Amino acid sequence: LVCFHTHMCGDETQRKHSSKQSTSKHRLEKQADVLRFLVEFTCLMVPISAGMFFGDHLVELVCVLGVACSILWVFRPTKRRQQNAQQLGDSARKPFITAYRSCMMFSTCVAILAVDFVFFERRFAKTETFGISLMDTGVGSFMFSAGLVSPLLRRGAFDTPPEGREQVTQPAARSSHSALLRSLRSALPLFVLGAGRLFTTKATDYHVHTSEYGVHWNFFITLGFLSLIVSALKPSPRSAPIWALLIGIVYQLALQFGLTHYVLEAPRISLIDMNKEGVCSLLGYVVIHLLGFYTGSLFFTSQDTASHRSSRPKHTSLWFLVALAFLCWIFYWLMSEFVQEPSRRLANIPYVAHVVGLNVLLLIAFQLVDQIQEPSVSFIFEGLNANALPLFLLANLGTGAINLSMHTLDASLSTGRLIVLLYLLILCSVAFVCYARSWRLKFW
């Protein structure tokens, strides 16, 4: 599908960034944008959502998509666009990570609305206590992908200065103070979003499952505290897996010696009791984020120049990811069999191992595609990747509006699919326009 998208839309990218401002050319660029959006949405986004639209026909769907991909691969364009490939290769950005993060975000946005309609398979919905499903992996995958492209990796706070250059250091108090202010500034909008979501759900009497995060807690509050904790830990590529191991061991031991009973059975009396799921599961998400940070360090450093990348073996990180995925799945099986079943509600270590193993496998798949096919630019992918949190907020607002305006469970199969498809069309349109116009929706 990526090959077909490259063939149909590759030339429009060159016209998109030309400097001519004539009216006729502007009109042609608009037409090219519309065509590009339709091709991208049809070839890249519809197949992703089809698995949730037709969950009872997954085998047939995989066969159809497999045949379609094979045909498109045979008739892929033979002329290679060296300039575009050189631009992507010389940048520090990784196209396969953009594709992975965008597909994960898009799948999450599909599921949060589709789950309210009857066409969505119940086995894909979130589990109540133990077990793991498609939607159970969504929040964990979001934490992993956030760690994968952590600002700490891009700022390179852990990097040593180049040889022969002195490192300019700040006083410890000033450095700590600035780091604290930076973390608070990044976390404050998340707490505001969390408070806003709590207020709107209470004001509209919107149904919320208290067993997911608690009475007042929600996903945005988890993200806010996660940002503060990770900033306090100041992880580096070497210390991140150590911190993850220590926190994971302590948390799982606490679950084994009474914390599980408290989270699942204790009455909701105090404020912490009311939000015990969100408070306790936060530690599991910190472990996932740290492991995502460690995985991202394989691809990003502040000194990741073209010379460093050219001297780095191409398959080193890929084989390391294969080994990491294998270890995660072995660890997941051992923990599930002999310690505790995976639980999103607890975010216990079996759940952590499952989420990390799944996301590493996805990274492997996307990296393999990136190696056998010339990278191309998808405007929708780029827009989803650059504006992940604002677009996720927009998806939540759209989901809430649709649920308040109709009784989704009464909608027929075709009506439900049409509503979700229109909702995805609007979401992808916003992502496309944001990238095409170089807009960033992040305001902090």
Side-chain angles (χ1 to χ4, degrees):
L1 294 175
V2 172
C3 303
F4 181 66
H5 160 258
T6 305
H7 176 65
M8 292 295 292
C9 298
D11 294 333
E12 280 82 349
T13 307
Q14 299 289 338
R15 295 196 297 267
K16 176 68 194 164
H17 298 288
S18 64
S19 58
K20 296 181 179 180
Q21 301 296 327
S22 64
T23 305
S24 59
K25 186 172 181 61
H26 184 64
R27 188 174 299 127
L28 287 174
E29 286 182 351
K30 283 188 174 181
Q31 295 174 356
D33 282 345
V34 173
L35 174 62
R36 184 186 185 100
F37 173 76
L38 293 175
V39 171
E40 286 193 13
F41 186 79
T42 303
C43 293
L44 300 178
M45 316 316 291
V46 171
I48 298 174
S49 56
M52 285 174 268
F53 278 27
F54 304 98
D56 53 341
H57 299 287
L58 282 180
V59 175
E60 297 91 332
L61 184 63
V62 169
C63 293
V64 170
L65 289 177
V67 172
C69 290
S70 301
I71 295 174
L72 293 176
W73 174 258
V74 171
F75 293 100
R76 72 189 186 278
T78 56
K79 181 181 178 181
R80 303 182 66 85
R81 298 176 175 86
Q82 297 293 343
Q83 183 179 359
N84 188 36
Q86 185 68 26
Q87 290 176 352
L88 286 171
D90 289 344
S91 67
R93 300 174 65 257
K94 314 295 180 183
F96 73 93
I97 291 182
T98 298
Y100 151 76
R101 281 172 47 84
S102 303
C103 290
M104 182 276 299
M105 172 56 60
F106 181 76
S107 300
T108 303
C109 294
V110 175
I112 60 175
L113 177 60
V115 69
D116 297 322
F117 290 90
V118 293
F119 70 80
F120 192 81
E121 291 283 302
R122 293 301 99 189
R123 58 195 172 97
F124 294 158
K126 290 179 179 178
T127 56
E128 184 65 27
T129 305
F130 291 103
I132 198 161
S133 68
L134 173 68
M135 291 193 68
D136 285 326
T137 62
V139 60
S141 298
F142 197 102
M143 303 301 181
F144 183 89
S145 68
L148 191 71
V149 294
S150 170
L152 291 175
L153 285 172
R154 286 175 282 156
R155 286 198 302 262
F158 49 83
D159 286 336
T160 56
E163 187 177 354
R165 184 181 302 174
E166 293 184 0
Q167 185 177 11
V168 180
T169 59
Q170 294 179 332
R174 183 182 301 177
S175 178
S176 300
H177 181 67
S178 62
L180 177 62
L181 288 178
R182 189 163 51 241
S183 62
L184 287 175
R185 187 166 57 248
S186 64
L188 182 60
L190 297 171
F191 290 124
V192 172
L193 290 174
R197 188 182 190 281
L198 173 64
F199 174 77
T200 53
T201 53
K202 296 295 184 182
T204 58
D205 196 25
Y206 189 79
H207 179 65
V208 176
H209 293 281
T210 56
S211 62
E212 188 171 353
Y213 291 106
V215 178
H216 311 102
W217 202 283
N218 55 56
F219 173 75
F220 297 105
I221 297 177
T222 294
L223 281 180
F225 278 109
L226 179 70
S227 176
L228 293 178
I229 293 174
V230 172
S231 298
L233 292 177
K234 297 180 180 178
S236 69
R238 292 184 178 180
S239 66
I242 298 175
W243 276 118
L245 184 63
L246 291 176
I247 296 173
I249 291 174
V250 172
Y251 180 50
Q252 189 61 46
L253 286 175
L255 289 173
Q256 295 298 116
F257 292 98
L259 188 59
T260 298
H261 181 269
Y262 168 74
V263 174
L264 301 182
E265 304 294 339
R268 303 181 187 274
I269 301 175
S270 66
L271 183 63
I272 294 180
D273 294 338
M274 292 181 181
N275 302 283
K276 53 190 178 178
E277 292 89 352
V279 173
C280 295
S281 64
L282 179 61
L283 292 176
Y285 293 131
V286 169
V287 175
I288 294 176
H289 186 91
L290 290 172
L291 293 175
F293 179 93
Y294 175 65
T295 306
S297 68
L298 300 174
F299 308 108
F300 299 105
T301 66
S302 64
Q303 301 174 8
D304 198 14
T305 60
S307 60
H308 281 77
R309 288 192 303 273
S310 61
S311 61
R312 184 183 302 167
K314 288 185 177 180
H315 302 291
T316 300
S317 59
L318 181 61
W319 285 112
F320 188 87
L321 289 178
V322 172
L324 180 60
F326 179 77
L327 288 176
C328 286
W329 288 114
I330 292 296
F331 190 68
Y332 164 73
W333 178 79
L334 291 174
M335 293 292 291
S336 300
E337 288 291 324
F338 303 106
V339 180
Q340 191 177 47
E341 292 183 71
S343 171
R344 172 199 46 81
R345 188 174 174 183
L346 299 171
N348 56 3
I349 299 308
Y351 172 80
V352 170
H354 184 281
V355 168
V356 174
L358 175 63
N359 282 272
V360 171
L361 279 179
L362 291 174
L363 279 173
I364 293 171
F366 281 105
Q367 191 174 9
L368 284 174
V369 172
D370 210 27
Q371 290 183 0
I372 65 176
Q373 167 64 27
E374 177 187 348
S376 62
V377 177
S378 165
F379 282 21
I380 297 180
F381 277 4
E382 294 288 348
L384 286 170
N385 180 61
N387 302 283
L389 189 59
L391 289 173
F392 181 71
L393 176 62
L394 178 62
N396 274 268
L397 292 175
T399 299
I402 292 172
N403 275 277
L404 289 174
S405 61
M406 63 177 295
H407 196 271
T408 54
L409 293 178
D410 291 340
S412 64
L413 296 177
S414 57
T415 302
R417 290 175 180 135
L418 179 61
I419 291 173
V420 176
L421 189 64
L422 292 175
Y423 148 87
L424 295 175
L425 193 67
I426 295 172
L427 189 67
C428 290
S429 301
V430 175
F432 184 93
V433 171
C434 285
Y435 181 73
R437 301 292 179 262
S438 300
W439 294 344
R440 291 296 298 270
L441 298 182
K442 186 175 181 180
F443 52 88
W444 64 92

